[in-house]
Amino acid sequence: MLTSTLLLSNQLPNLQYSSTSERFDDTWEAPLATLLGLGRAAGADFVEFFLERRNYISCLAEDDAITSISPSLATGAGVRVFRGKADCYVSTNNLTFSGLKAALEKGLSILGLQLPAPNAFIPEINLELLRDYATKRGKDGWLPLCSSIREMGEILLDGTAQLQRKASHVQSRRATYFRDWQEVLVAASDGTFARDIRLTQSVGFNLLCADGANRASIGERAGNTSDANFLRTWDYQQASEQISESAGKMLYADYVESGTYPIIMANHFGGVIFHEACGHLLETTQIERNTSPFADKKGEKIAHESLTAWDEGRADNAFGTIDMDDEGMPAQRTLLIEKGVLKNFLADRTGSWRTGHPRTGSGRRQNYTYAAASRMRNTYIATGEYSIDDLFSSIDKGIYCKKMGGGSVGATGQFNFGVDEAYLIENGKITKPLKGAILIGEATEIMNKISMCSQDLELAPGFCGSVSGSIYTTVGQPHIKVDSITVGGR
Amino acid sequence: MATINEIANYAKENAEKLGIKKFDIYGSTVDETSVQVDQGEPKQVKASNRSGVTVRVWNEDNTMGVTSTTDVDPKGLELALKTAYEASFFGVKENVPDFSPEATVPIDNTPHDKAAQAPVAELIEKLVVAEKELLSAHPAIKGVPYNGLAQRDIDRFYLNSEGAARIESHSIASVYLYSKTEEEGKKPRSAGAFRINRGVENLDINGCIQETADKTISHLNYEKIKTGKYLVVFSPEAFLSLLGAFSNLFNAQNILDNQSLSTPDDLGKQIASPMLSMADDALHPANIGAESFDGEGTPTRRISIIENGVLTSFLHSAGTAKRMNAQPTGNASIGAKVSVSPNFFHVFRSAEPEQELSLENAENVVLIDDLQALHAGVKALQGSFSLPFDGWLINKGVKTSIESATVAGDFLEVLKSIVCVEKEVELTPGGVCPRIWVNELSITGD
């Protein structure tokens, strides 16, 4: 263990650190403090280490058999080195002191920096006392409490059996589950030293029904962080009823007639409209690239006055919940839009440096192979003042988008997303099911067309892909009305 | 990372210690460097040296378990073998995956040579120049928000307890550029291009700059398109992305799982225009970084999937081949449930069209350059798609960019509605393909 800060660079090869291999704890303070000091002594403006250990398992039930149990174990680290405006990110599987030092050296050399001469003084970085969110919230005990392989199998098979009972014209049934346990440690040359454990789980159904040429495939998924009992409490009876009903209606649905319509988007996963049409464009990652039409609109009205939106790190056990982000900053609750006025952006450390917007605890990454970037967490449109009946009665002919699929947004703010389950609205009433709809629009235009929000906010789990990989996020909203939007179909 | 011999020895020693008699391992190491630039300055450089292996273990009851790990030292492999052994007691009891009968067949010309890695400073310099040239290509081009130049060395291996031992190495370099315009009173427009080669030295960066600039500029003058049915021309990349999205059509595992638009009886049926033929050809000369064996150690090869519009073969793993009385095709990935996926498409003309069609003289055709949001707009098990796209309305050679629109249809109908497969093929990241003309597709615009 290092006890003195008067370290000379030629002593580095002789250092014998022994950090705990079973968990990331404060035995990592000395080696990381030394490495951070080494990076600073070499001339880096800022250095950050991200250490990760992962224990993942997925389980697949098809019809009446478990066909895949896939455990995966991963350990790795990433070091990020900044010099001026440029930064370098190096990742490695080698978590020994020499392995981390080699990664640091590589990062330094890429930025044109060299390790100090043999007799140079290496200032040890004074890290803060370990902020240990895992210990504070009793997370170290989560993993053994999760469902065993046997239990996973039994629950999923019960689920697919329910699908067989509830649905008609079944061609195939699937139930999928994964549990992702992740331990992270962040140490940075500004003194950051923080540890956390995340437990993310997801379970869902995919149902394919076919009757002659009529086919309907539909999926439904639930997700959770922080609850080791999540799978045991999954209400697969209700989930199987919902998905069977949806598949039955969509099996014989007509294709949507393309055009421009007023639409009502249901709550729950309907929140993907805000995620794609606006949320991504409020990330400093987009502002840095000059790909956000909202970059210079802070304090200005960018949306209909009925719209207020939040992005928060903590929302009970929601899918995007984190206690700290992947840069060691405590997660915040961030007001994005208040009554149509843009209030805040989502910033990671780098985004904050490069754009001037304050950090919001939004630096996230899929794993150690990615540098953190500003990403959404639990993002939702707040409740409004209308009833669902108010929304429907305001539409003569339109579309009710009950179940949304995924979507994307491009560099110019043009977004799109698919609709898995839709219905025609005529004179304020739902009249028939429709399939094959995809919605497209411009972010700046659509935000002013979300004119009515109801009072039934619900959140839904999702997977979001961007520059720092695929991460767990939450979308959400009450029922909303969009005055007009282009609907692609046949 | 440990060498293949070290990993093999670690695995054998630990398997013996744990009483495991039957196992196999697939693994890879990647040594990668990539750069991004912003307004003439390096933005982010990434370097990564990572490894990972997947081990499969069969127990005394011949059920199988699997585990993936990034720890390839003796301790990590021991834990992985233990975990896989524990999982094996929950493995499937019917159609248990087994070693490929071809895992020990000799392979000619397994690649082992790597390109010399270029210094990071050279990568940055080349990309800065590329960005500068793009910005100067037209006054409206104000930024290149997405760009990257990367080089990657890959080593892969497969070994099993019956003596299979395969290893190969590749180098790949790639560049992508995506520029964006800003003009007073107009919407921003964007477009991009991509190039790949074995090393940075041979990478066609100038071609990438030119294609990005040409496409971006061609979108400056845009108009809405009227909703209706159009004769549509898919670019090679657009057609291959659609083909990839509906690859369950010829995926034997999907077919056996009832997750396909095909059934085992569909072999020999006419599913497309006689003008269309296609193969999955991992070893195609244009396939940079072609892999000579799959995740089960089966040698890759050319598989003819559609000949003159007739479905002729499915893609197989060792397990699906056994169940369907066929041969493995080199398309498997290792796993608890072995998955099957295409390697590299080769689509080509196999019959002359009734009329040779050309963008130079066609009237009111929609050229689709790039399909977007395939994850959201493709219903792979229903056969339908509804997708936003980048493209142009072309009238006698005059191109007008389409502001914002979607194309929708049924993929099986698309295959049958092909009215022309052009002669010349183009290289794309997913394969080689010519432009494909399809009649009467729904376009939603204004």
Side-chain angles (χ1 to χ4, degrees), chain A residues 62 66 71-73 75 80 87-91 93 172 215 217 258 288-290 406-407 416 420 438 488 490, chain B residues 43-48 51 66 68-70 92 145 180 182 259-260 337 373 375-376 379 381-382 386 409 444:
Chain A
E62 292 179 279
I66 298 297
S72 175
L73 308 167
T75 310
R80 195 168 190 180
D87 73 277
C88 175
Y89 190 76
V90 178
S91 58
N93 295 132
S172 68
R215 296 165 76 91
S217 62
S258 60
E288 283 180 54
R289 294 173 191 271
N290 193 28
N416 56 74
D420 285 349
I438 192 159
R490 296 196 196 175
Chain B
K43 186 177 180 194
Q44 184 176 80
V45 179
K46 284 182 80 174
S48 173
S51 55
V66 64
S68 299
T69 182
T70 59
V92 292
K180 183 185 161 196
E182 285 172 26
Q259 297 276 317
S260 172
K337 174 164 179 162
H375 65 292
K379 303 296 176 199
L381 298 180
Q382 296 175 18
S386 179
T444 302

Side-chain angles (χ1 to χ4, degrees), chain A residues 307-415:
Chain A
L307 193 139
T308 292
W310 292 87
D311 180 281
E312 60 177 53
R314 298 287 307 279
D316 295 328
N317 295 350
F319 209 48
T321 292
I322 47 174
D323 278 319
M324 70 171 208
D325 71 2
D326 290 326
E327 297 178 320
M329 182 178 178
Q332 289 184 350
R333 189 165 190 246
T334 308
L335 177 61
L336 299 175
I337 295 171
E338 186 176 34
K339 295 181 179 173
V341 176
L342 177 59
K343 291 292 186 181
N344 286 294
F345 293 98
L346 298 172
D348 61 324
R349 186 195 301 275
T350 319
S352 179
W353 279 347
R354 288 177 175 154
T355 68
H357 296 294
R359 288 172 71 191
T360 52
S362 304
R364 301 187 67 193
R365 56 186 117 196
Q366 178 179 331
N367 58 38
Y368 67 91
T369 64
Y370 293 89
S374 60
R375 303 291 295 274
M376 282 176 271
R377 301 158 298 188
N378 301 309
T379 315
Y380 58 88
I381 297 174
T383 52
E385 59 191 23
Y386 296 95
S387 68
I388 298 176
D389 286 345
D390 292 336
L391 271 60
F392 274 92
S393 61
S394 71
I395 292 179
D396 291 333
K397 185 177 182 187
I399 294 174
Y400 176 43
C401 302
K402 185 177 179 187
K403 186 169 169 45
M404 304 303 300
S408 62
V409 62
T412 60
Q414 192 171 80
F415 67 87

Side-chain angles (χ1 to χ4, degrees), chain B residues 44 64 69 72 76 81 95 124 180 186 198 219 255 268 283 333 344 346 366 405 425 439 444:
Chain B
Q44 184 176 80
M64 187 270 286
T69 182
V72 292
L81 283 161
N95 303 311
I124 293 170
K180 183 185 161 196
K186 285 192 161 185
R198 193 168 153 270
H219 287 303
I255 293 164
L283 304 176
S333 300
F344 189 81
H346 179 197
V366 172
V425 297
N439 221 359
T444 302

Side-chain angles (χ1 to χ4, degrees), chain B residues 182-256:
Chain B
E182 285 172 26
E183 284 185 305
E184 189 69 31
K186 285 192 161 185
K187 291 181 178 178
R189 307 291 282 167
S190 61
F194 175 86
R195 292 289 187 280
I196 187 168
N197 212 314
R198 193 168 153 270
V200 170
E201 196 178 286
N202 302 317
L203 201 55
D204 181 16
I205 299 175
N206 286 333
C208 192
I209 295 167
Q210 192 63 49
E211 185 181 338
T212 304
D214 289 349
K215 279 188 184 174
T216 309
I217 293 164
S218 77
H219 287 303
L220 283 174
N221 294 315
Y222 55 87
E223 285 181 18
K224 285 189 179 294
I225 186 170
K226 284 202 166 189
T227 296
K229 300 270 189 185
Y230 287 82
L231 176 60
V232 168
V233 185
F234 288 98
S235 72
E237 192 164 346
F239 187 77
L240 288 182
S241 59
L242 209 52
L243 190 63
F246 289 99
S247 61
N248 68 49
L249 266 170
F250 35 83
N251 182 316
Q253 187 63 59
N254 291 152
I255 293 164
L256 288 168

Side-chain angles (χ1 to χ4, degrees), chain A residues 82-162:
Chain A
F82 288 80
R83 186 189 189 200
K85 271 184 72 178
D87 73 277
C88 175
Y89 190 76
V90 178
S91 58
T92 177
N93 295 132
N94 189 342
L95 261 61
T96 63
F97 181 78
S98 61
L100 294 174
K101 179 168 163 281
L104 173 66
E105 273 188 77
K106 186 163 188 176
L108 292 169
S109 69
I110 285 171
L111 291 179
L113 299 172
Q114 291 182 338
L115 290 179
N119 290 313
F121 170 65
I122 308 296
E124 184 182 354
I125 298 294
N126 291 314
L127 296 176
E128 63 179 323
L129 286 174
L130 182 65
R131 268 184 293 121
D132 190 343
Y133 295 90
T135 301
K136 189 178 170 190
R137 294 193 59 203
K139 301 178 182 183
D140 287 298
W142 278 351
L143 186 57
L145 295 176
C146 292
S147 295
S148 65
I149 292 177
R150 183 178 300 280
E151 189 176 33
M152 287 174 208
E154 288 170 357
I155 292 171
L156 294 195
L157 288 175
D158 281 350
T160 56
Q162 283 298 318

Side-chain angles (χ1 to χ4, degrees), chain B residues 174-187:
Chain B
S174 61
V175 60
Y176 71 91
L177 300 165
Y178 193 88
S179 58
K180 183 185 161 196
T181 67
E182 285 172 26
E183 284 185 305
E184 189 69 31
K186 285 192 161 185
K187 291 181 178 178

